[in-house]
Amino acid sequence: MLAKVHTCAVVGLDGQIVDVEVDHNPNGMPGISVVGLPDAAVREATFRVNSAVKNSHFKFPFGRLTINLAPADLRKEGPGYDLPMAIGTLAASGQSTPPTEESLVIGELSLDGHVRHVNGILSAAFSAREEGKKTLFVPAEDAAEAALLPELTVYPVKSLQELAAHLNGGNRIHPYVPSPLDEGTLRTTPYPVDLSDIKGQENAKRAMEVAAAGSHNVLMVGSPGVGKTMLARALPSILPPLTLEEALDVTRIYSVKGMLPPHTPLIRERPFRAPHHTISYAGLVGGGRWPKPGEISLAHLGVLFLDELPEFGNRMLEMLRQPLEDRIVTLSRAQGTLTFPANFMLVGAMNPCPCGYYGDPTHQCTCSLAAIRRYQGRLSGPFLDRIDIYLTVPRVDYKKLSGTASGEPSQAVRERVIEARERQLRRFSDIPGVNTNADMKPRHIQRFCRLNRESQALLEAAVRQLGFSARAYHRILKLARTIADLDGSEDIHTPHLAEAVQYRRKPFIV
């Protein structure tokens, strides 16, 4: 007897429907064969299915079982095929009614028949919706994640026995009823660092406000202990809240990676990722035998903070050039090519020299000029050209550190940033893929960043004297457009452009 159960494979961030076909031949040689390019975890499912069926008070069918995972040319990985294989086995042996054609079944089995969590449920839910499926049978702890898409009916399954009873018309499983999502309450916990916690550094705070308003990349240079890390960690507190659509995009990445926090079906805040400089290439970019997202994708729609930037190595930093331009990262393997989103704000921090005190007014630098040049030379010109804001972070005066006066809170700055972002959304409403000023291409810059004669003269002088490249020229115009948006101006005026030019002055001696 033949039974078919639909499930889903996750390839990159996308789901693909997989048919689990189970054929039972009672007169064949006893055994189980799994075909369709299964990996080790899928092949081992036969042992889990055998024990789970028996321990759920069913009879494991005698004879030959052939389980085909179609399409056969798609590699299958992970334990999510356990439950569809088990229910297909029961259906093929006449002990259960198979699920309907509109149903998808996903879940890992324990030996006693209980259903365990699997990664990538949200991707499977998106795939089910696109393929016209109406019903999802998922592990009970993953039901809230699957139910983020209201078009689907989600059944939380606790055990194989419970699912078989439901399909046979016995004790019904009640559909999961999600709580309504309010986009205005996506952020529910306070941020660990507020701008008001940072003493002094008014210029740096202003630069961070500009960066947040236009989603611009920042490089901070300063001596140890001046507050570079604190400034970076305060940046998420002034970014706009995630929309529901953005939250779903971020959640899908964390779901596939297996990094959703417990009892948190939806990521409610912009990511802040700060990998150590000893991270591997695959850990930063993504990859592996079965490619998974790396840190740059985990920072999607948030902040990627790289402290001690030169220590990451030339290969790591040069790899960032494509994501910084295209907002995606492409991984090519023998099995095919995968693309992960990587639309993040890059915030880098570094010392001016190996000892950290070049140019410091209170500490003497012990580095030779050649050592300083080698250290700063770890950042290539093409990489630096993709940074929008160069920021020298000075040492804070003692009176400011010991003073009781607090600076402007993040909430006040955030409101200005939100207003600037809303202006950008209205401006780019008819341009797909462009949401912030940093996303603009040259043709958009020509349309939205027009200068008057005085501003054109200033920019021409800056390009000639400072040797700006064509990319730097465009990034100055993007920055000026953002500064004008913060000022509530529809036109870019000379003070806006002058401030943008100042942010492009590299704080290097080389």
Side-chain angles (χ1 to χ4, degrees), residues 41-222:
V42 180
R43 290 194 298 268
E44 291 171 355
T46 58
F47 302 102
R48 295 190 293 271
V49 168
N50 191 318
S51 297
V53 167
K54 293 177 180 178
N55 291 324
S56 298
H57 308 293
F58 294 103
K59 182 179 179 181
F60 195 83
F62 181 82
R64 190 71 182 177
L65 276 179
T66 302
I67 302 176
N68 179 43
L69 307 177
D73 60 345
L74 174 68
R75 290 186 177 273
K76 321 301 187 305
E77 64 164 333
Y81 299 91
D82 291 4
L83 187 58
M85 289 169 65
I87 205 67
T89 298
L90 294 179
S93 60
Q95 301 178 74
S96 173
T97 302
T100 65
E101 282 290 320
E102 294 183 342
S103 300
L104 234 62
V105 181
I106 308 170
E108 177 185 351
L109 285 175
S110 61
L111 296 184
D112 62 359
H114 282 84
V115 182
R116 292 175 170 167
H117 156 80
V118 295
N119 297 333
I121 288 293
L122 187 55
S123 292
F126 272 104
S127 177
R129 184 179 66 177
E130 292 169 2
E131 295 294 331
K133 306 297 182 185
K134 304 296 184 183
T135 305
L136 255 65
F137 294 95
V138 300
E141 60 184 294
D142 296 330
E145 180 184 341
L148 291 173
L149 302 184
E151 300 90 343
L152 301 174
T153 302
V154 178
Y155 289 95
V157 182
K158 297 179 180 178
S159 68
L160 173 62
Q161 187 177 30
E162 182 183 56
L163 177 56
H166 173 89
L167 295 174
N168 287 332
N171 294 330
R172 305 289 294 179
I173 302 174
H174 296 291
Y176 182 84
V177 180
S179 57
L181 290 173
D182 181 2
E183 295 189 37
T185 61
L186 286 179
R187 173 71 201 185
T188 57
T189 58
Y191 289 95
V193 181
D194 192 275
L195 280 183
S196 61
D197 299 330
I198 302 173
K199 302 291 185 179
Q201 304 294 11
E202 282 78 12
N203 290 338
K205 292 178 185 178
R206 167 63 179 177
M208 286 298 181
E209 180 181 347
V210 173
S215 192
H216 300 290
N217 303 317
V218 183
L219 174 59
M220 295 181 286
V221 182

Side-chain angles (χ1 to χ4, degrees), residues 259-305:
M259 293 180 60
L260 275 182
H263 312 296
T264 307
L266 183 68
I267 299 293
R268 296 176 178 269
E269 58 191 66
R270 293 189 181 272
F272 180 88
R273 305 298 301 179
H276 192 260
H277 61 78
T278 57
I279 189 173
S280 68
Y281 181 86
L284 183 64
V285 183
R289 183 182 177 188
W290 304 95
K292 298 294 184 184
E295 287 290 336
I296 63 174
S297 294
L298 293 172
H300 181 59
L301 298 176
V303 177
L304 178 67
F305 176 49

Side-chain angles (χ1 to χ4, degrees), residues 317-441:
L317 297 180
E318 295 306 302
M319 174 279 311
L320 290 173
R321 286 159 57 177
Q322 183 227 356
L324 288 175
E325 287 289 327
D326 301 334
R327 306 297 185 178
I328 58 172
V329 58
T330 303
L331 303 177
S332 296
R333 296 293 184 269
Q335 296 85 357
T337 299
L338 294 177
T339 299
F340 294 110
N343 187 4
F344 56 86
M345 287 180 60
L346 175 65
V347 178
M350 61 177 288
N351 298 324
C353 65
C355 78
Y357 294 109
Y358 177 77
D360 192 287
T362 60
H363 291 78
Q364 183 177 0
C365 175
T366 60
C367 305
S368 66
L369 184 60
I372 298 175
R373 290 183 184 276
R374 282 195 302 271
Y375 181 77
Q376 295 182 357
R378 296 179 186 178
L379 306 182
S380 71
F383 173 78
L384 289 173
D385 226 19
R386 288 165 169 80
I387 303 296
D388 299 306
I389 297 176
Y390 300 114
L391 184 61
T392 299
V393 185
R395 190 172 294 278
V396 182
D397 182 75
Y398 174 78
K399 292 183 178 180
K400 290 184 178 180
L401 283 175
S402 59
T404 57
S406 60
E408 188 177 26
S410 291
Q411 184 58 37
V413 178
R414 191 186 203 192
E415 290 174 0
R416 294 197 296 269
V417 169
I418 291 174
E419 290 178 4
R421 288 278 187 112
E422 288 175 348
R423 290 190 185 97
Q424 295 166 49
L425 288 174
R426 291 193 296 268
R427 180 183 302 127
F428 306 132
S429 60
D430 60 339
I431 305 176
V434 178
N435 298 311
T436 64
N437 290 329
D439 297 330
M440 286 194 291
K441 304 301 180 185

